[in-house]
Each structure stands twice: as structure tokens, then as C-alpha cells.
Amino acid sequence: MNQLQKEILKLKKQKNAIILAHNYQTAEIQEVADFLGDSLELCLKASQIEDVDMVVFCGVDFMAETAYILNPDKKILLPDISAECPMAHMLPAKEVREYKRRYPDAAVVLYVNTLAEAKAEADILCTSANAVEAVESLSEKRILFGPDMNLASYVAQQVDKEIIPIPEGGHCYVHKMFQPTDIMVMKEKYPGAELLIHPECDQELQEMADQILSTGGMVHYVASSPSDTFLIGTEMDMVTRLSREYPDKTIVPLLSEAICTNMKLHTLEKVKNSLITEKYQVVVDPEVANRARSAVERMLALPP
Ligand code: 13P
Ligand code: SF4
């Protein structure tokens, strides 16, 4: 641990704080986190927080908002307040309401990568780890699903329901970087490797994958697979986590340029500042939070 990391650990104790971090955080932030996970694991962790006064959330806006929705009595801090997920801003609540008017018989399943106001319009939320289960849990045959079109098409292939992707063109700029040629080049270099792809990647890439998994799913898969080499089709720091935890396995990025710059806005310096100044606090309007909470809790109640 470096000096800054040691100071952060000390401050955490003094402030009775914990650090939750998404798998796309840098190694140095991963090392000081109390819990590291995917969106679903972070939601679950946030729902179980007790006996702490504050949570420093090293992730993007929608993740911190969800933690607040589940813990309105705690200080939820984002070390850099501008850490936004662009995809979460592609489906404003107003647009969800418009789609609901156009499709009155459809249920609404929203990806957790949405802002609180949009979440408040959903019947249930989902992450990339439980999207199929969330859709299957509803009795409706027509489902408005957004904002990620690639996750929507992944779900549409697994269920016997009509999936209507909303809005047109919702996507993640990081997962859009992957091209089929990346797979061809890397498969030639690592012929025996298993290819793990995130469902936010284009369908063409999903079709070439050995496994389509959330980032948490990738951790569990690498842990239990007998293979020793894996090509990782998601954000670069997922490779950092897997390489740290499985040093005996060969973990190779499918594309080393796949970096979520929004996630990287958090730094150790900013984490330290956040603990000292108790900034930047994330809050959600109580009426919006109450409505969004039902959709979050419905997701958390899905069988694991
Ligand atoms: P995971 O839930 O799989 O970690 O995905 C979150 C995300 O934002 C992917 O880009
Ligand atoms: Fe959002 Fe994509 Fe970054 Fe995930 S990787 S936080 S979906 S921009």
C-alpha cells in the first residue's frame, strides 16, 4: 500500500465509512475498497449496509443514486461528482412516460443504468446479471426495455415475450468499441482462450462469444472454469481485477482501448478528499426515491 492508500484506510476508520467500488475502478482504488463488485452485487451490498455513517461510492452517478435510494439515512458520496454514465442519461423519465402512453399494455423493465427519475417509472429494474429473470418475473407479454439496445436484444433471444427496446439507439460507448476483427486477431494469438463478452457489446460479438456475462459473472466464471486463458470483452480494469485475483490464469483484454473514462474520474486523491470534506453527497428527491425503491426492491427480491 502507498502512503495515500494508508491515509484513506485511516480516514475510513475515523469517519466510520466504507468504500464500495465497481469492477471498472483502477487497481489502486480496488485495493482500498471494502467491497468490489458488479452493479447487482453493489446494489445488494448497498441494501445490507448497517452501522456505517457514510459510503464513498467509486462508481458512476446511477450507482450512487441507487445506493442512496436504498439508504436515504446515510451519506452517499461520489469522490468526483461529474462521474456520470452517458448511457444512463439516454433515457429521461419523460421519454419513459411517453412510451408507457404509447404501449399501455406493456410492463417496463429498466436497466439499473438509468437515473432515479426514470427508475421511478419502471415496474422492475435489472442489471446485466439478472435481465432475463427480471423480464420472466412479470406476467405481461410485452416489455418496454431500456436503455441498452444490446442488452435488450440479448434478453429478446432468451424469452418468449415481445421486447420493445427504448429509446432508439441506447448504448454504451465503451462496449461499442469492440469489433469482430478484435476477436479474430486475439483468437489467432490465443487459440485455446475462452472468450467472455459483456451483453452491452453488439450482437455480432455476442454470437462469437463462449460466454455472455456481467462483470460479476466473469469473476465467478474464471474462478470455476478449468481453462487457463481468457479473453475479456469488457472494460480494461475488469482485466485488472481478474489478474489480481487469479494470478495463475492468463487474463487478456480483448481490446486494451476499452476504457470507461467516466469511471476513471475517481482517483485516490479524490477519495481522500471525499472522506475529509464529506463531499460530494448524492441525494434523490424523497418522492422519486420512494417510487424508484419499489422497482429496485422488486429486482433484489428475484431469486439468486
Ligand atoms: P456490470 O453490472 O456487469 O458490472 O455492468 C455495469 C456497467 O456499467 C457495464 O458497463
Ligand atoms: Fe456506463 Fe458504459 Fe461506463 Fe458502464 S462502461 S458505466 S455503461 S459508460
Side-chain angles (χ1 to χ4, degrees):
M1 290 245 166
N2 64 35
Q3 189 53 33
L4 203 44
Q5 287 175 311
K6 286 183 193 152
E7 287 172 38
I8 288 171
L9 297 193
K10 218 162 125 193
L11 277 164
K12 270 202 303 187
K13 270 200 194 127
Q14 279 169 15
K15 295 277 186 157
N16 192 26
I18 57 166
I19 298 178
L20 300 187
H22 186 266
N23 290 327
Y24 297 162
Q25 291 299 309
T26 56
E28 51 186 18
I29 289 184
Q30 293 187 16
E31 284 161 13
V32 294
D34 295 272
F35 183 80
L36 187 60
D38 69 8
S39 311
L40 179 61
E41 292 162 339
L42 290 168
C43 277
L44 278 165
K45 197 71 195 168
S47 72
Q48 297 156 353
I49 295 168
E50 278 172 22
D51 304 330
V52 297
D53 296 320
M54 65 186 83
V55 178
V56 178
F57 209 114
C58 296
V60 282
D61 51 359
F62 74 84
M63 297 177 176
E65 277 191 353
T66 310
Y68 176 82
I69 287 165
L70 292 165
N71 299 278
D73 56 332
K74 297 211 165 51
K75 278 190 182 136
I76 309 291
L77 308 172
L78 260 185
D80 187 319
I81 197 64
S82 52
E84 296 180 342
C85 165
M87 187 209 283
H89 294 255
M90 290 177 189
L91 184 56
K94 195 168 135 254
E95 217 170 318
V96 183
R97 287 193 285 271
E98 246 168 67
Y99 280 110
K100 280 164 76 164
R101 273 193 289 277
R102 269 170 49 197
Y103 298 92
D105 62 331
V108 181
V109 180
L110 293 188
Y111 196 20
V112 72
N113 300 40
T114 42
L115 297 182
E117 225 188 310
K119 283 184 172 78
E121 299 296 331
D123 293 297
I124 187 168
L125 297 185
C126 72
T127 72
S128 55
N130 61 12
V132 172
E133 291 79 1
V135 167
E136 295 281 28
S137 74
L138 302 168
S139 57
E140 287 85 350
K141 283 282 180 198
R142 284 184 118 184
I143 308 288
L144 292 168
F145 188 103
D148 188 51
M149 287 192 78
N150 285 336
L151 184 61
S153 76
Y154 168 76
V155 171
Q157 284 166 52
Q158 323 276 324
V159 300
D160 184 23
K161 297 191 185 215
E162 185 190 357
I163 304 293
I164 303 164
I166 58 169
E168 197 58 48
H171 70 280
C172 161
Y173 74 94
V174 181
H175 290 87
K176 277 278 180 194
M177 290 180 196
F178 295 95
Q179 297 299 320
T181 47
D182 300 324
I183 297 185
M184 291 185 268
V185 170
M186 295 308 272
K187 277 262 181 186
E188 208 171 301
K189 237 172 145 180
Y190 299 91
E194 278 200 83
L195 173 62
L196 314 186
I197 288 280
H198 196 278
E200 287 176 16
C201 291
D202 285 343
Q203 201 178 327
E204 218 180 335
L205 278 102
Q206 293 184 25
E207 283 163 10
M208 296 167 88
D210 293 303
Q211 301 290 330
I212 303 167
L213 296 164
S214 69
T215 63
M218 289 182 187
V219 176
H220 299 301
Y221 190 81
V222 169
S224 61
S225 165
S227 305
D228 55 15
T229 307
F230 299 87
L231 290 173
I232 304 300
T234 189
E235 211 269 350
M236 258 308 278
D237 274 314
M238 189 64 227
V239 175
T240 307
R241 173 168 178 189
L242 290 169
S243 309
R244 283 177 58 227
E245 292 183 15
Y246 304 100
D248 298 339
K249 305 214 177 197
T250 305
I251 313 288
V252 187
L254 183 57
L255 180 68
S256 45
E257 290 80 13
I259 292 170
C260 177
T261 51
N262 308 70
M263 285 273 185
K264 307 305 179 222
L265 287 170
H266 304 307
T267 60
L268 283 181
E269 201 60 64
K270 289 178 192 171
V271 171
K272 179 184 159 189
N273 263 344
S274 178
L275 282 160
I276 295 171
T277 61
E278 303 185 9
K279 281 187 185 157
Y280 295 89
Q281 219 175 314
V282 174
V283 288
V284 175
D285 172 81
E287 187 271 330
V288 172
N290 283 341
R291 285 193 292 132
R293 192 175 303 113
S294 321
V296 181
E297 285 176 346
R298 207 162 164 191
M299 170 182 80
L300 294 178
L302 289 172

